[in-house]
Structure formats: C-alpha cells, structure tokens
Amino acid sequence: MSEAETLFAVLRQSVDEAVVDMLERMVRDAPDLALNRMNPLDLAASSGLAEEQVIAGLLHAVSLGMLEMTWAVMCPSCAGVLSANKSLKTLTSAQYNCGFCAVGYETTLDNLVEVTFTVSPRLRKIAAHNPDELSVAEYYRQIFWSSAIDLPDDLEQPLREATLETVDLPAGERAILSMNVPAGTLIVFDPVTHAAQFLDVRGKEARERQNLTVVFNKIQVPVDTTVLRPGPLRLTLENRTDARVLPAVWVASQALDDLLGRRKPYLTAKRLLTNQTFRDLYRTETLAIGQRLKILSLTFLFSDLKDSTALYDRVGDLVAFDLVNEHFRLLQEIIAAERGAVVKTIGDAVMATFETPDRAIAAAIRMQEAMSDLGAERQHQSLRLKMGIHEGSCLAVTLNGQQDYFGQTVNIASRVQGLAASRSIVVTEAVLENAETRALLEANGLRPTQKTVTLSGIADKVSVYEIT
C-alpha cells in the first residue's frame, strides 16, 4: 500500500466518506491549479456536500500532513493576497497595505483573512509548489489572487485587455519598454514584491518621449504617483532582487473593474475559529502567547443549568453526573450543527461562539428543546437551561493555554445570561437588530419581551429581550 493510500485509509476513520472520496479523486485526477489554495465553500458547492463536512475533512487532512493550510491576509478591494501565513501566529502587523490599490487595512479576522488548503508534496507535487516556474497569468491566479475572486479559465485574455504590457524579468535584469500611454490612471505593479507605481496621465499630448524608471527591490516603500502626459513613454524596469519579478502596466478601466468584480464566498478566519472541528484539533496552537487579533463582530452564547446543585442532592451524584454530561454532549452537538464552537465549560455553564447572531438563536432554541426532551426521557423535568446571547467586537487571544476571547462583548454576554429566568433566553438589542434573527424568531412564533436593565461594570442601562 502506498503512502497516499495509507493516509486516505486513516482519514476515513474520522472524516465523512463522501468528503474523503472527493479528496481522493481530486488528488488522483484534478488539474494542478484545483489542488492549490482550495476554497472549502467552493468545493462544497461543486460537490453537493455540506460546507461543515468539507471544512472538517480538510482540517483532518491537514492534521495528517496531507494538506497545508494557509491564512492569507487579502485586500478586500482587489482580492490580492497581501501576506500568506502558515499560522495565525505570524499575523503580527496592525495594518496591511495593498500596493495595487494604494489602500491600508486594519488587521481583523472578519473578512481580511481567508483560509485555504493546498495539497502537500508528499501526496502530489503541483506547479504552485514552484511558483517561480509559473507563467505571469498563472502566478496572478495561483499566488497573488485569493480564492475570493472567481477567475475565468482563460485568464490570458482578460489580462491582455486590462494591461498595456506584462514582463517576466529575471533577477538582476533590466527591461526597457516603449509605449504610448493613454490619458487616465496606470499602475505599474509587481505581484512578487508588491511594489507599485501609479501614473497619473493627463494634459496635452506629449510630442517628445517621456522617461520613467521603476526599481523593484525588497525594500517596502509607500506607493508614489508620477504625473505624465499622454503619448510616448520609455519605461525602464529594474529588478534588484535575487528572484524574478513579474511587473505589468495595468490600466484603470472597465476591463480591470470587471475582472476584479468577479467574487465568490470564501472561508474567513472568523468562521474557522467558530468551527468545532478546528477548536478540537487546534485548541492550543492557534495564537502566540500575548498575541491579540481583532474581530469586529462575533456572537457569544452563555448557557447554565439552573439549580444544578439541587439536582445532585435530589437524584444523587451518579445520576446527576450522567445527566450533566449528557447535557454537555447534546449542547456541543447542537452548537457544532449550527456552525458554532464551544470555547469552554465552567462548572455546568457553556461558553460558545457563532459567526452570526441568527446561528446562536437557532442553537439556543434547539438546546431548550433538547433539554426538555432529555428531562422527559430521564424523568427529571428539573433540567432547565438559562441562556444569554450578545454580539459585538472582541479580541481573539490565548488564555490558560487555549484560544479564547477577551473584551466587553464577552462580559456583557456572560452578564446577560445571569438575567435569564428558568428556561428562557435573554438577548441584547445587537442580536435582535440582525434581520435573520428576527425572521427566525417569527418563524418559530417567538415574541421577545423588552426590559431595561443595569449590568455590572456597564455605565449605561441596556435594553435586553427575554425569549421564553
């Protein structure tokens, strides 16, 4: 049995068989580019499989060394990869700048960081493992642009329409281009060094040839703009690096807008952090000690069993222990099914995160039903769950050796849970402002009751809503 066959046999022990079959077919038959920076949401849509199944399968494949995971900081404007990282631990910059767009972005995990998967050379060697050998078009497709852009199969034609020139320039070499530049904005950009030079072409057409030199090196400098006139230009490109560069002269035009406007869903770092399989596999290896990464919007759910101490007195330690453990199992199963993850348990309480408020509400409703069913099944109607939900910004951090969250949003969610009566869910206004949440409550015939409360540590009174 080959190493690949052995690895796939091991993968089948923990991953849905349909997902393993898909990966095995891809490794055997798919073109090279299909195995580079795989987009899990794309794979799920094209294969008819559930997104969470595919994500779980890819994560397990990474843990076996079959795939490599990349956390890529991407520009929301052009979908270019600004920084490719094997771990979140190397995301240490507070801001990332895109030379192609001349824009800077604060580092957040919501939409700025995508997660993709590439086949390991131990399973199959592909062209992207040697990016220096890729053509200009394929370098843009497979290295520079992220999986968030839906590129056409034939990328050469759109590149010709959006550029005046493209150059494959070896290390230490120089190229001289003679061209006529039209009025408008041109961008001399290299996807290898990310160096860029903007050209503002305007005014009366030049009769004599203009000259401009652009140097590519490893020194990151702010994007500059040079004013030129329409007409003849002698453009000198100098590569002062020890590797090839791939400069192109882009025209800010409808053709470029059309190319960059082709978008598709992608797996964000925020969504992956709220995935239960990811937390189970990478609970202690996600962030460096002291590292703090900002999330603009995350939903927290806190739950607690009401009067669990009295339960131990009433039914005895063994029966109560079994009930509480079954309660934890059911809650984790429901949370994972609603695309959430259990961050930790504290006594009989659970802290979970969700990408959006509606997912947390859906989980809370199912959790209440599950506790009622469990109580009826075990003839202990005293299994009453209290829950609180809040949405807002937070920091992803490492606490007590595992990936956790810090901030006022977490504090409020915890305190809101303390307001919940037996078998009720208390949510904040931020949760109810979500349109999907309101639709979900209506569909379930649930009408929240508003009240204004004071929360410890919060200066102003807040509006909360009780759902029973």
Side-chain angles (χ1 to χ4, degrees):
M1 184 180 287
S2 68
E3 182 184 22
E5 290 173 327
T6 301
L7 289 170
F8 277 113
V10 174
L11 187 63
R12 289 183 190 279
Q13 296 175 16
S14 54
V15 173
D16 183 273
E17 188 168 351
V19 176
V20 181
D21 288 342
M22 175 192 70
L23 289 175
E24 199 165 18
R25 285 194 304 271
M26 289 182 67
V27 170
R28 184 181 63 243
D29 303 326
D32 281 7
L33 63 88
L35 296 169
N36 179 52
R37 289 188 178 174
M38 291 181 278
N39 178 329
L41 309 191
D42 241 10
L43 289 181
S46 63
S47 62
L49 298 172
E51 291 178 355
E52 295 304 296
Q53 281 180 304
V54 173
I55 293 170
L58 297 177
L59 289 170
H60 280 287
V62 171
S63 71
L64 292 173
M66 302 169 71
L67 302 178
E68 298 171 348
M69 184 161 52
T70 300
W71 305 76
V73 180
M74 53 166 277
C75 172
S77 180
C78 70
V81 172
L82 310 181
S83 173
N85 306 269
K86 295 301 180 185
S87 165
L88 274 180
K89 292 179 181 179
T90 55
L91 264 71
T92 54
S93 297
Q95 179 171 302
Y96 286 86
N97 299 296
C98 178
F100 193 52
C101 300
V103 179
Y105 300 95
E106 180 188 16
T107 305
T108 64
L109 300 183
D110 299 73
N111 297 307
L112 199 69
V113 180
E114 66 151 8
V115 185
T116 56
F117 301 82
T118 298
V119 69
S120 168
R122 67 189 294 193
L123 273 191
R124 175 175 155 184
K125 290 185 179 181
I126 59 172
H129 291 149
N130 298 299
D132 285 345
E133 298 178 8
L134 294 172
S135 67
V136 174
E138 286 307 310
Y139 191 96
Y140 270 100
R141 181 199 302 276
Q142 298 192 51
I143 306 300
F144 176 68
W145 273 315
S146 71
S147 72
I149 189 165
D150 189 12
L151 296 170
D153 292 337
D154 176 19
L155 188 55
E156 297 279 358
Q157 180 62 31
L159 281 181
R160 284 195 293 270
E161 293 174 355
T163 61
L164 296 181
E165 295 279 357
T166 60
V167 181
D168 190 330
L169 191 58
E173 297 290 321
R174 176 167 59 176
I176 298 175
L177 307 179
S178 293
M179 62 181 71
N180 277 294
V181 292
T185 300
L186 306 181
I187 311 163
V188 182
F189 176 73
D190 167 46
V192 180
T193 62
H194 289 237
Q197 174 73 54
F198 274 65
L199 308 181
D200 180 9
V201 185
R202 52 188 165 91
K204 188 177 180 180
E205 185 167 347
R207 293 186 177 180
E208 297 183 357
R209 185 176 62 192
Q210 305 165 98
N211 293 283
L212 177 66
T213 298
V214 178
V215 176
F216 302 98
N217 53 41
K218 293 184 177 180
I219 302 172
Q220 293 294 320
V221 296
V223 177
D224 191 21
T225 300
T226 296
V227 177
L228 296 173
R229 291 162 62 187
L233 171 67
R234 184 176 190 248
L235 178 62
T236 302
L237 304 172
E238 291 189 24
N239 180 4
R240 296 182 184 174
T241 75
D242 56 5
R244 72 166 182 167
V245 295
L246 304 170
V249 182
W250 292 84
V251 182
S253 61
Q254 188 60 50
L256 179 57
D257 290 343
D258 290 344
L259 182 61
L260 299 183
R262 300 167 59 108
R263 298 304 173 90
K264 57 185 176 182
Y266 59 96
L267 178 62
T268 65
K270 180 178 84 168
R271 176 168 175 181
L272 192 58
L273 291 184
T274 64
N275 177 278
Q276 190 63 55
T277 301
F278 176 79
R279 286 200 66 89
D280 291 343
L281 292 175
Y282 301 96
R283 186 178 301 273
T284 61
E285 304 172 9
T286 306
L287 301 173
I289 301 297
Q291 186 180 15
R292 298 171 297 174
L293 292 174
K294 188 173 183 179
I295 298 176
L296 298 177
S297 171
L298 195 64
T299 302
F300 291 87
L301 181 152
F302 280 82
S303 74
D304 194 17
L305 276 176
K306 183 175 175 60
D307 298 330
S308 59
T309 303
L311 175 67
Y312 279 81
D313 287 338
R314 193 162 50 250
V315 301
D317 289 348
L318 287 176
V319 175
F321 181 77
D322 179 57
L323 280 169
V324 171
N325 272 353
E326 181 64 6
H327 137 269
F328 279 134
R329 187 193 69 78
L330 288 170
L331 264 53
Q332 178 161 321
E333 184 179 281
I334 292 168
I335 289 166
E338 293 296 340
R339 283 177 29 185
V342 174
V343 177
K344 57 188 172 186
T345 59
I346 312 147
D348 298 328
V350 169
M351 172 185 172
T353 56
F354 296 84
E355 188 181 11
T356 54
D358 60 302
R359 292 284 181 177
I361 289 289
I365 294 171
R366 290 180 59 186
M367 287 155 67
Q368 291 285 27
E369 292 171 351
M371 288 305 97
S372 294
D373 292 344
L374 179 61
E377 176 190 329
R378 303 290 181 89
Q379 298 182 342
H380 292 292
Q381 297 295 334
S382 54
L383 289 176
R384 294 172 290 182
L385 202 61
K386 302 165 47 180
M387 284 179 278
I389 303 173
H390 179 50
E391 176 271 336
S393 63
C394 64
L395 295 175
V397 298
T398 293
L399 291 175
N400 300 318
Q402 67 176 3
Q403 195 262 307
D404 206 332
Y405 300 93
F406 179 83
Q408 192 72 305
T409 298
V410 183
N411 297 334
I412 291 174
S414 175
R415 291 180 178 124
V416 165
Q417 182 274 323
L419 300 173
S422 173
R423 293 178 180 155
S424 73
I425 307 164
V426 175
V427 305
T428 60
E429 198 161 21
V431 173
L432 277 190
E433 286 175 350
N434 179 271
E436 287 78 12
T437 295
R438 294 195 299 272
L440 183 62
L441 292 176
E442 276 187 37
N444 284 274
L446 299 172
R447 297 178 180 273
T449 303
Q450 181 191 12
K451 56 183 177 181
T452 303
V453 298
T454 300
L455 297 178
S456 175
I458 309 299
D460 299 325
K461 290 188 175 183
V462 298
S463 291
V464 297
Y465 298 80
E466 186 173 31
I467 303 166
T468 55

